[in-house]
């Protein structure tokens, strides 16, 4: 009983620290996301806090939801028109990742993202379905308070929803992989050189995206390369990098985003971001699942080979020698039989 009483304050302190850390990460990511706001000074094409919130719930559990609520309130209190509106938007921002978390856990989601079904669950349940809550609550609150005109509701809602969904698709996989990442040992120099070359090529493509040349498609060969060679651990960060550079290009109206209105640019940007994220997630998870299946098959074959070797060895063993007492017993039995 004494040990349990001593462990409880430590556990409470740890949970409080986790909540504060989640709130701080949420607020910091929101400030970075708002640097590329495109609609109403608070709606961005990629909202990193949604990905951080869902990753926090998946890694730490539902006990950290107050940190999400606190972070969302601190972000919106400087943006919202009134305190009731701020509370409503913060509630929507909190409920969305919680709904995504519940849906993913009921679907048997694994944080390792080493199965294709996990990638599909994150896409359709975690991103597309769960983030409907925050977009609907947030846009509805702005419309009810008179900040948003009725004619702008659909466009604001779509940007809000896709921004939150893109935050989940690009940020959540990276955070989940960082939690389980280990420093690679025994990696050949050629493998290190290949990884460095991939990073450098991704950075170069990102800079090309912000130029006046519309070459967004150059990122997809790199995503495929990263997915096949490094699985999701390489594909997810590459997708995040190319998406960030694309958002910067959209904000600067350069490359394929030059000379178009906001609606056209948002369609182009979100179509590219969604394609990049889906390519990275699906390809990385599929290759990872194939690799895991090959390992299981190899292990099963090795076990079968060892079992067959043991059986063959036992069949080739010589017959046990007959002791003297046994020989006498056999002779007595034969004499008795002859009488």
């Amino acid at each position: 009983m004494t040990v349990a009483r001593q462990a409880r304050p430590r556990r409470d302190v740890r949970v409080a620290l986790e909540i504060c850390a989640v709130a701080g990460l949420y607020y910091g990511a929101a400030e970075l996301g708002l640097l590329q706001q495109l609609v109403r000074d608070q709606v961005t094409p990629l909202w990193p806090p949604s990905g951080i919130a869902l990753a926090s719930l998946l890694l730490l559990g539902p006990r950290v939801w107050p940190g999400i609520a606190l972070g969302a309130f601190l972000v919106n209190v400087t943006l919202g028109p009134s305190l009731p509106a701020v509370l409503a938007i913060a509630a929507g921002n909190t409920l969305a990742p919680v709904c995504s978390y519940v849906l993913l856990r009921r679907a048997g989601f694994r944080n390792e993202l080493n199965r294709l079904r996990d990638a599909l669950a994150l896409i359709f349940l975690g991103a597309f379905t769960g983030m409907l809550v925050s977009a609907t609550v947030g846009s509805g609150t702005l419309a009810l308070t008179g900040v948003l005109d009725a004619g702008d509701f659909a466009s604001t809602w779509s940007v809000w929803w896709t921004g939150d969904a893109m935050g989940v698709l690009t940020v959540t996989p990276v955070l989940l992989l960082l939690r389980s990442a280990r420093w690679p040992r025994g990696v050949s120099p050629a493998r290190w050189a290949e990884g460095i070359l991939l990073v450098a090529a991704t950075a170069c493509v990102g800079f090309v995206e912000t130029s006046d040349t519309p070459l967004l498609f150059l990122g997809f060969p790199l995503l495929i390369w990263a997915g096949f060679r490094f699985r999701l651990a390489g594909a997810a960060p590459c997708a995040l990098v190319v998406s960030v550079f694309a958002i910067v290009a959209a904000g600067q109206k350069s490359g394929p985003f030059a000379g178009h209105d906001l609606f056209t640019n948002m369609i182009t940007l979100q179509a590219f971001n969604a394609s990049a994220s889906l390519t990275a997630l699906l390809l990385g998870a599929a290759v990872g699942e194939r690799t895991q299946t090959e390992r299981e098959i190899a292990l099963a074959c090795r076990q079968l080979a060892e079992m067959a070797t043991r059986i063959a060895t036992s069949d080739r063993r010589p017959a046990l020698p007959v002791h003297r007492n046994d020989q006498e017993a056999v002779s007595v039995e034969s004499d008795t039989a002859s009488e």
Side-chain angles (χ1 to χ4, degrees), residues 100-247:
S100 297
Y101 170 79
V102 172
L103 292 174
L104 289 175
R105 286 308 183 211
R106 290 189 175 182
F109 177 81
R110 294 180 183 176
N111 294 344
E112 294 79 10
L113 279 172
N114 55 3
R115 300 180 302 174
L116 183 60
R117 60 174 293 182
D118 295 329
L120 293 173
L122 183 64
I123 293 169
F124 291 102
L125 298 180
F128 293 161
T129 302
M131 296 303 115
L132 291 172
V133 177
S134 57
T136 303
V137 173
S139 301
T141 300
L142 294 178
L144 292 176
T145 55
V147 177
L148 186 65
D149 297 334
D152 297 332
F153 178 83
S155 60
T156 303
W157 181 90
S158 61
V159 173
W160 199 313
W161 174 60
T162 53
D164 285 356
M166 289 303 103
V168 170
L169 293 178
T170 57
V171 177
T172 300
V174 175
L175 295 178
L176 294 179
L177 291 171
L178 286 177
R179 175 63 181 270
S180 59
R182 297 292 184 272
W183 184 259
R185 297 180 179 177
V187 179
S188 63
R191 188 73 166 177
W192 279 108
E194 183 181 2
I196 294 173
L197 179 61
L198 176 62
V199 173
T202 305
C204 292
V205 168
F207 284 111
V208 170
E209 291 177 359
T210 59
S211 64
D212 295 332
T213 306
L215 297 176
L216 287 176
F217 60 87
L218 289 179
F220 287 97
L222 297 177
L223 292 176
I224 295 173
W225 176 15
F228 271 113
R229 295 292 293 163
F230 299 94
R231 293 176 288 178
L232 199 60
C238 288
L240 177 60
V241 170
V242 297
S243 296
V244 169
F245 276 105
I247 293 172

Side-chain angles (χ1 to χ4, degrees), residues 10-31:
R10 296 178 182 177
R11 184 172 62 251
D12 294 340
V13 171
R14 184 183 62 185
V15 172
L17 292 176
E18 291 175 349
I19 291 174
C20 293
V22 170
L25 289 174
Y26 190 103
Y27 182 82
E31 292 298 322

